[in-house]
Amino acid sequence: MIDQIRALYQSMPATLAAARKKFGRPLTLTEKILVSHVDNPDTQQWERGKAQLLLRPDRVAMQDATAQMALLQFMQAGKKRVAIPSTVHCDHLIRAQTGAAEDIKRAIEENKEVYNFLSSASRKYGIGFWKPGAGIIHQVVLENYGFPGGLMIGTDSHTPNMGGLGMLAIGVGGADAGEVMAGLPWEVLHPKLIGVKLTGQLQGWSSPKDVILYLCGLLTVKGGTNKIIEYFGPGAATISATGKGTITNMGAELGATTSIFPFDAKMVAYLNLTERAEIAKLAEAHRELLVADPEVLQTPEKFFDQIVEINLSELEPHVVGPHTPDLARPVSKLAAEAKEKNYPVPLKAALIGSCTNSSYEDISRAAHIARQGLKAGLKAKTQFIVTPGSERIFHTMKRDGFTETFEQMGATVMANACGPCIGQWKRDDIQKGESNSIISSYNRNFPGRNDGNAETLSFLSSPEVVTAMAFAGVLTFDPVSGSLKAADGTTLKFAPPKGEELPAKGFAKGEEGFEAPAANGDAIQVELPPGSERLALLEPFPRWDGKDFAKLPILIKARGKCTTDHISPAGPWLKFRGHLDKISDNAFLGATNAFTGEAGKVTNVLTGESGQTPAKVARYFKAQGVGSIVIGDENYGEGSSREHAAMSPRFLGVKAVITKSFARIHETNLKKQGILPLTFANAADYEKFEEKDRISITGLSHLAPGKPVEVAIHKANGQEIKIQAQHSLTNQQIGWFKAGSALNALN
Ligand code: MIC
Ligand code: SF4
């Protein structure tokens, strides 16, 4: 790895000089990394928001729930070995039930087929394999592979965590990963740049989490779409590397392509403590390559498309939610809002950890709060769950007494895995449909995400605020100014949390859980049992038949938020991530039917039967040889990278998705799988679609970049309304549509 980094740093000065000349100006850090990873500097066009970049990432990371499709697609490319360093991480499939030890044992049993498939394919194709229990993908990558100035892609939307180490790390669908592993360059729309200037220093209860929670409120869940967020300013250097990782990780909630911090001493400290002193030294020796040019810092408004300034000294601790990460307010304002909006006040669960917030700093600050509560004779009034991010964190927490502290409070320490964050949480304290509030230090809070119950109101905050809330047991508690009654009747007012950025004694180590690939994988068989319930080889999607889409029914018109969690829910469905036919039964189960207001139920307009699942109706259409259309609202496909949200509709016969706007990863996933992603030229046209309408999309053989397409809405009374829709397909992507998928276009 060190050689790869050395070679990159050695090549950068000449590349950057050429780019400065070409652009006629100094460079931001983002641009430095982009130009140093471009596939062909001679032919590459540079226009923010317009040009397509063809890039050569340094590595690929995949987690178990998305790696299955990524590897199945990679296998279709017929290569012997991956072209660039790649890893698989087993984290999403572990159910949080009784605690780490038993949960891992059960997961290994339950997911045997999938783990065997992933590990055998990894061994064969030259991919590093991290076993279940080793940790959550982003923590493990941060501890082992992230490096300043690098470019990576990962089949998970929170891959940008690595921005905390000055790496440009971008979440993608499995098809993108499969292609890059097969040796193709990776394509992305040249993002615009938002510069976030940080001044001052975080105080008291405020933590890195609050930087991103505040930004979510300011920019909203679509404010970062097709944009990279570059942090700079004196405040940046005051935040630990893992704190930076929290901020860049959750930048996914802004829809941002990725987020990044400039190289600094905090990154050096983190690299040193994670046994990468050599990389730290090398980066220090090339510091000027790994930060923006000085002119950019002097007049940032000349170099960024938008600037936001945050004075860390004045930033208050925040809470966001319910149901969306951009409903933000300072924690001091939550009580009044909870009363006004009738949020259930008792908290049923408080959860800390996850890929976003389980650093040593997070845990030590939360433990400081925990100790104060315990000293006052208090225990958690809610269920309290801790999910460490990695083996290192788990063992260091244990060694330094944090685990014991949390357990004294009544906490359950879960496996080093996603667990409750992805709906792998066996919760039996509430009935389905029961309205209740929970709070966590995670990064997503869409309805039904944690426990499959859309009536759970999920709030997000920093681990220290969540821990204080666990003692209070109510949503209306303000840990900053409020107080609790101690066991002896006196008053407990928490002192602001104090922690250490990094463990003074270094990280403790557990079982690393890494399996290296075989030097020569030729003799290794990929384990894929025929007739498996969990895995099935992919059949190529049919090619486009050259005809326009004529009078197709609407499968669903989704109203309001329609994230990938609404389109392809996770939780119990995760077990079918390697079996396209089976998982497709979950299609649109969370999406709100605009015609009825009900989630996951539609009318089969061919038979008139109502109250059916979208998958059932789509399968009926498919059996009749009839395709269908999906209509969506704003920021359709927000959230995760799961390409099942595109593959299932494709498998079920959806031909086009027409929306007001798309989230980046999902729009690409639709294109890759051969579905036409269209946006209304006039957003108000969304209202024109009625349940019984039939939709035609014409002129498809003349599909061309930038050229709108015509959509006709045929009303039940014979009336026809014509509207225009736009698309962002390039010539190459039109080729994917015609071939039936990007993968078909390769062969
Ligand atoms: C998520 O946080 O939503 C996930 C689960 O990590 C997803 C990936 C997946 O659905 O497998 C993501 O963020 O991309
Ligand atoms: Fe796992 Fe949650 Fe992080 Fe996604 S956001 S990688 S589900 S911990």
Side-chain angles (χ1 to χ4, degrees):
M1 203 170 130
I2 189 81
D3 294 337
Q4 187 193 15
I5 302 173
R6 191 174 290 118
L8 172 69
Y9 291 173
Q10 274 165 5
S11 71
M12 279 176 82
T15 315
L16 301 190
R20 283 188 198 99
K21 208 162 146 209
K22 186 168 189 165
F23 299 168
R25 57 173 175 79
L27 302 173
T28 61
L29 170 59
T30 302
E31 288 166 326
K32 289 186 180 183
I33 301 180
L34 291 177
V35 297
S36 325
H37 288 85
V38 83
D39 180 47
N40 185 339
D42 300 331
T43 54
Q44 181 62 59
Q45 300 288 312
W46 296 95
E47 195 181 349
R48 291 183 194 170
K50 293 250 160 62
Q52 293 289 324
L53 301 178
L54 278 182
L55 303 170
R56 290 280 174 187
D58 298 305
R59 72 169 36 245
V60 176
M62 294 160 276
Q63 43 88 342
D64 51 2
T66 48
Q68 299 169 61
M69 281 301 168
L71 289 175
L72 287 167
Q73 294 178 83
F74 169 76
M75 283 161 62
Q76 285 190 323
K79 300 281 179 205
K80 279 185 127 180
R81 218 177 156 78
V82 290
I84 64 168
S86 306
T87 48
V88 164
H89 303 260
C90 296
D91 52 1
H92 281 60
L93 298 179
I94 302 168
R95 277 196 293 134
Q97 199 165 333
T98 42
E102 283 135 65
D103 290 353
I104 293 279
K105 235 197 262 157
R106 195 177 345 90
I108 291 176
E109 201 40 53
E110 277 175 3
N111 302 311
K112 210 191 268 154
E113 271 173 56
V114 173
Y115 293 150
N116 287 347
F117 166 70
L118 293 174
S119 72
S120 58
S122 297
R123 241 177 304 133
K124 181 173 181 67
Y125 295 117
I127 301 168
F129 179 74
W130 289 83
K131 290 196 273 191
I136 306 177
I137 175 168
H138 312 305
Q139 268 302 316
V140 175
V141 174
L142 192 74
E143 288 172 5
N144 293 278
Y145 302 122
F147 69 90
L151 173 74
M152 70 173 285
I153 57 169
T155 58
D156 193 279
S157 66
H158 293 108
T159 304
N161 198 316
M162 254 38 66
L165 274 183
M167 185 176 206
L168 220 50
I170 304 177
V172 298
D176 289 50
E179 288 170 17
V180 169
M181 291 190 293
L184 293 172
W186 176 65
E187 191 192 43
V188 67
L189 178 68
H190 187 348
K192 293 195 172 185
L193 288 186
I194 302 182
V196 177
K197 182 174 182 186
L198 300 177
T199 58
Q201 184 156 12
L202 291 164
Q203 310 284 331
W205 282 86
S206 297
S207 72
K209 182 80 162 190
D210 300 304
V211 174
I212 189 65
L213 296 182
Y214 168 76
L215 273 178
C216 282
L218 187 75
L219 299 174
T220 79
V221 288
K222 48 181 265 198
T225 309
N226 294 321
K227 293 175 184 151
I228 290 182
I229 301 180
E230 183 170 322
Y231 292 85
F232 63 96
T238 66
I239 299 175
S240 64
T242 50
K244 292 179 169 95
T246 296
I247 298 171
T248 58
N249 176 309
M250 204 177 163
E253 270 47 71
L254 298 167
T257 302
T258 190
S259 310
I260 191 167
F261 274 87
F263 176 68
D264 64 16
K266 300 283 189 190
M267 297 184 192
V268 172
Y270 186 76
L271 286 167
N272 282 336
L273 216 68
T274 46
E275 294 155 40
R276 289 174 291 170
E278 223 185 337
I279 298 180
K281 242 169 104 187
L282 198 60
E284 276 186 296
H286 294 91
R287 195 189 155 274
E288 75 289 352
L289 307 175
L290 309 172
V291 298
D293 282 340
E295 297 85 342
V296 174
L297 306 181
Q298 277 149 23
T299 48
E301 57 288 351
K302 282 198 196 151
F303 301 90
F304 293 101
D305 301 291
Q306 183 183 348
I307 302 269
V308 175
E309 203 169 322
I310 302 176
N311 181 349
L312 299 176
S313 308
E314 288 170 4
L315 185 68
E316 280 186 68
H318 275 62
V319 178
V320 303
H323 301 321
T324 182
D326 55 2
L327 185 54
R329 83 289 281 161
V331 64
S332 57
K333 304 253 159 55
L334 182 60
E337 200 178 322
K339 275 184 207 134
E340 185 196 314
K341 296 187 177 163
N342 257 330
Y343 298 148
V345 165
L347 276 169
K348 291 284 186 182
L351 310 98
I352 61 170
S354 89
C355 66
T356 338
N357 272 108
S358 65
S359 66
Y360 191 81
E361 186 178 24
D362 289 330
I363 298 294
S364 60
R365 281 169 66 91
H368 178 241
I369 298 300
R371 282 196 299 271
Q372 295 180 49
L374 287 171
K375 212 165 136 208
L378 302 181
K379 286 202 184 281
K381 278 211 183 119
T382 65
Q383 226 190 119
F384 188 45
I385 292 178
V386 184
T387 46
S390 71
E391 266 294 270
R392 262 185 224 197
I393 296 285
F394 177 84
H395 286 280
T396 312
M397 273 172 65
K398 206 161 160 188
R399 183 200 63 198
D400 293 354
F402 301 144
T403 307
E404 205 186 323
T405 302
F406 293 134
E407 282 173 350
Q408 280 169 7
M409 251 181 95
T412 309
V413 178
M414 297 294 183
N416 313 319
C418 302
C421 181
I422 188 55
Q424 296 274 53
W425 179 20
K426 194 163 172 293
R427 193 176 169 194
D428 33 34
D429 62 315
I430 52 145
Q431 301 285 323
K432 203 164 174 157
E434 193 180 321
S435 179
N436 73 104
S437 297
I438 63 171
I439 189 162
S440 77
S441 71
Y442 303 166
N443 45 22
R444 291 221 158 116
N445 57 352
F446 306 139
R449 173 158 174 112
N450 303 104
D451 55 6
N453 179 15
E455 307 308 317
T456 294
L457 279 70
S458 164
F459 294 86
L460 309 173
S461 195
S462 67
E464 41 273 43
V465 168
V466 174
T467 306
M469 294 290 216
F471 281 116
V474 283
L475 196 59
T476 43
F477 178 61
D478 175 3
V480 183
S481 62
S483 55
L484 297 177
K485 201 159 164 201
D488 62 4
T490 57
T491 301
L492 165 68
K493 171 133 186 358
F494 288 105
K498 278 210 180 75
E500 295 109 70
E501 285 179 16
L502 291 167
K505 288 189 254 169
F507 282 108
K509 269 205 182 163
E511 209 201 311
E512 281 277 289
F514 176 73
E515 265 176 27
N520 179 347
D522 289 357
I524 296 171
Q525 285 280 337
V526 175
E527 292 181 37
L528 211 163
S532 164
E533 287 256 299
R534 304 283 304 266
L535 293 155
L537 283 173
L538 291 171
E539 299 267 345
F541 290 128
R543 300 182 71 81
W544 177 55
D545 60 8
K547 298 195 190 121
D548 283 341
F549 300 149
K551 298 200 170 166
L552 302 186
I554 297 172
L555 176 61
I556 185 167
K557 174 175 171 178
R559 185 174 294 283
K561 213 179 196 35
C562 190
T563 71
T564 52
D565 277 276
H566 294 80
I567 306 169
S568 178
W573 292 97
L574 279 173
K575 61 175 175 292
F576 297 126
R577 284 287 184 91
H579 200 298
L580 184 55
D581 192 343
K582 284 206 182 302
I583 199 170
S584 295
D585 278 335
N586 78 351
F588 300 104
L589 282 183
T592 305
N593 179 344
F595 305 124
T596 61
E598 204 184 354
K601 293 271 163 53
V602 294
T603 298
N604 180 336
V605 291
L606 298 189
T607 63
E609 278 172 286
S610 59
Q612 311 242 307
T613 67
K616 187 161 182 213
V617 173
R619 285 183 196 272
Y620 180 87
F621 291 170
K622 195 175 169 185
Q624 312 292 312
V626 176
S628 60
I629 303 288
V630 168
I631 308 294
D633 213 319
E634 282 297 357
N635 207 26
Y636 179 90
E638 173 186 338
S640 85
S641 67
R642 64 188 75 150
E643 63 198 324
H644 305 75
M647 290 179 102
S648 290
R650 175 73 168 107
F651 175 77
L652 294 171
V654 173
K655 303 289 182 197
V657 179
I658 319 176
T659 68
K660 293 187 190 166
S661 61
F662 285 102
R664 173 189 64 92
I665 308 179
H666 186 61
E667 184 177 19
T668 305
N669 286 345
L670 288 172
K671 291 177 181 173
K672 290 257 162 178
Q673 303 301 339
I675 291 185
L676 267 190
L678 303 176
T679 49
F680 303 110
N682 174 6
D685 288 342
Y686 169 87
E687 301 300 338
K688 296 188 174 143
F689 292 80
E690 293 176 290
E691 194 167 45
K692 292 197 176 127
D693 295 347
R694 296 288 190 277
I695 313 301
S696 296
I697 302 177
T698 50
L700 294 181
S701 46
H702 308 294
L703 207 54
K707 193 174 145 208
V709 296
E710 191 145 289
V711 177
I713 310 172
H714 310 275
K715 295 287 171 191
N717 64 6
Q719 190 201 352
E720 190 183 304
I721 304 173
K722 287 217 161 111
I723 63 164
Q724 291 227 313
Q726 282 151 344
H727 66 83
S728 63
L729 295 155
T730 60
N731 270 323
Q732 188 194 16
Q733 293 166 349
I734 291 170
W736 303 343
F737 167 70
K738 292 185 172 163
S741 71
L743 209 63
N744 289 355
L746 279 183
N747 297 321

